[in-house]
Amino acid sequence: MKITIVGTGYVGLVTGTCLAETGNDVLCVDIDDNKVRRMQNGVVPIYEPHLDVLFERNIKANRLKFTNSLEEGLEHGGVIFLALPTPEGEDGSADLSYVLGVAKEIGNKISDYKVIVDKSTVPVGTAKKVTEVISRETDIDFDVVSNPEFLREGFAVDDFLKPERIIIGSISERAIEIMRKLYKPFVRSGNPILVMDEKSAELTKYAANSFLATKITFMNEIANYCERVGADVDKVRIGMGTDSRIGKRFLFPGIGYGGSCFPKDVKALYKSGKEVSYDFEILDSVVKINQKQKVALLPKIITHFSNKLQGKSIAIWGLAFKPETDDIREAPSLYMIDELLKLGVNIIAFDPEAAENVSKKYGDKIKFATSMYEALENVDALVICTEWSIFRTLNFDRLKEAMNGNVIFDGRNLYDLEDIKKENLSYYSIGREVITSK
């Protein structure tokens, strides 16, 4: 099939590359001329594990191409995916200006039947709005389908190639049949293609992300309570997770969730509720609790150093909002950095992939190390914000030799408390016993 992808962010580029991998002829459209040239030259503009191999292979096979011309994209594809930004507006609602702007252009330029696919995360009723915008500009037949993505950054390629489910939101049998044919190679193991109306498909994505964000936030609340009563959140987590009704995933406490999806989607669903006079009280609480959780380590740092942080040097391991990505949107590390800078702390940071993006934000306000142990040289404390795998097996002797201080503030509970007790370190984590050096 001939496919056009409008927008080459995480969702658009992964979608286009993986559709090309199954033999489709894919043309990706982006308005950024420099980005288009780089992609044409084989440069992947984002970090996503395994994407580079598929990207290069499909460019060489001439199945994956790039252009800055929407008109060219509309001439090419029979199925047009809209993978456009829906940023958070000032009031928390999703900004649909990019989606509706492209919809208007599509209405002006299509010359034959198209399936227009909303791949972006959009509020309930967006498919209807897109349909109305296009219809005002043309009499040519088309269908709008809601096809939400469920891609986890760091695992996006695997998630697309081996989806747990595909959701197709449409009442058009013609469009449904085309979408079934397109996705058939991805569900050969029997995972379902679920067909529903457009509004239900749109809400499914928001509901799923908001539920997971709520689950994370609930566990962080339990962890905070554990600290006050002397319980161990790890034991509580395991006890909860063995209940099949609850499950083991998304029960790990930490310093809050971030990224491009959970923060934005929770707020957008809350705002959508307000628009129909419904108050999502639980989501309001989730947002407020998560904001506080991002700096949950700060009081512990202040107390440990008796509120004397001016001139102290602190290493931060992990800057991305999660491992296996360079995405720093709403990353807890940024909230920690902001607060520590206000207190006069000197910061040296390390992240395997996200340092360049953080450097663009802070410039020379913080320093960056090229390795995790280099970041520890002569610092007074270590703060861990992201659970990269390389941090999990720690050389304690090397750490203690490099640092001036002997304290770790672990926002991701990476280390076993019994192991820490053998190392004569002070160790603060989330929802667990505080270890103090002898």
Coordinates of all heavy atoms in Angstrom, one line a residue, residues 317 349-350 369-376 398:
W317 N 22.7 11.5 38.2 CA 22.6 10.4 37.2 C 21.2 10.2 36.6 O 20.3 10.0 37.4 CB 23.0 9.1 37.9 CG 24.5 8.9 38.1 CD1 25.5 9.7 37.7 CD2 25.1 7.7 38.7 NE1 26.7 9.2 38.1 CE2 26.5 7.9 38.7 CE3 24.6 6.5 39.2 CZ2 27.4 7.0 39.2 CZ3 25.5 5.6 39.7 CH2 26.9 5.8 39.7
A349 N 26.2 16.5 35.7 CA 25.2 15.5 35.3 C 25.7 14.5 34.3 O 26.6 14.9 33.5 CB 23.9 16.2 34.8
F350 N 25.1 13.3 34.3 CA 25.4 12.3 33.3 C 24.1 11.6 32.9 O 23.3 11.2 33.7 CB 26.4 11.3 33.8 CG 26.6 10.2 32.8 CD1 27.3 10.3 31.6 CD2 26.0 8.9 33.1 CE1 27.4 9.3 30.7 CE2 26.1 7.9 32.2 CZ 26.8 8.0 31.0
A369 N 29.2 15.3 32.5 CA 30.3 14.3 32.4 C 30.0 13.4 31.3 O 28.9 13.2 30.8 CB 30.3 13.5 33.8
T370 N 31.1 12.7 30.8 CA 31.0 11.8 29.7 C 30.9 10.4 30.2 O 30.7 9.5 29.4 CB 32.3 11.9 28.8 OG1 33.4 11.6 29.6 CG2 32.4 13.3 28.2
S371 N 30.9 10.1 31.5 CA 30.7 8.8 32.1 C 30.1 9.0 33.5 O 30.2 10.0 34.1 CB 32.0 8.0 32.2 OG 32.8 8.5 33.2
M372 N 29.4 7.9 33.9 CA 28.8 7.9 35.2 C 29.8 8.2 36.4 O 29.4 8.9 37.3 CB 28.0 6.7 35.5 CG 28.7 5.4 35.3 SD 27.6 3.9 35.3 CE 27.3 3.7 37.1
Y373 N 31.0 7.6 36.3 CA 31.9 7.8 37.4 C 32.7 9.1 37.3 O 33.1 9.6 38.3 CB 32.9 6.6 37.4 CG 32.2 5.3 37.8 CD1 31.9 4.3 36.9 CD2 31.8 5.1 39.1 CE1 31.3 3.1 37.3 CE2 31.1 3.9 39.5 CZ 30.9 2.9 38.6 OH 30.2 1.8 39.0
E374 N 32.8 9.6 36.1 CA 33.4 10.9 36.0 C 32.6 12.0 36.7 O 33.1 12.9 37.3 CB 33.6 11.3 34.5 CG 34.2 12.7 34.3 CD 34.1 13.1 32.8 OE1 34.2 12.3 31.9 OE2 34.0 14.3 32.6
A375 N 31.2 11.8 36.6 CA 30.3 12.7 37.3 C 30.5 12.7 38.8 O 30.1 13.7 39.4 CB 28.9 12.4 36.9
L376 N 31.1 11.7 39.3 CA 31.2 11.6 40.8 C 32.5 12.3 41.4 O 32.6 12.4 42.6 CB 31.2 10.1 41.2 CG 30.0 9.3 40.8 CD1 30.2 7.9 41.3 CD2 28.7 9.9 41.4
R398 N 34.7 2.2 43.6 CA 35.0 3.3 42.7 C 34.2 4.6 43.1 O 34.7 5.7 43.0 CB 34.7 2.9 41.3 CG 35.2 3.8 40.2 CD 35.1 3.1 38.9 NE 35.5 4.0 37.8 CZ 35.5 3.7 36.5 NH1 35.0 2.6 36.1 NH2 35.9 4.6 35.6

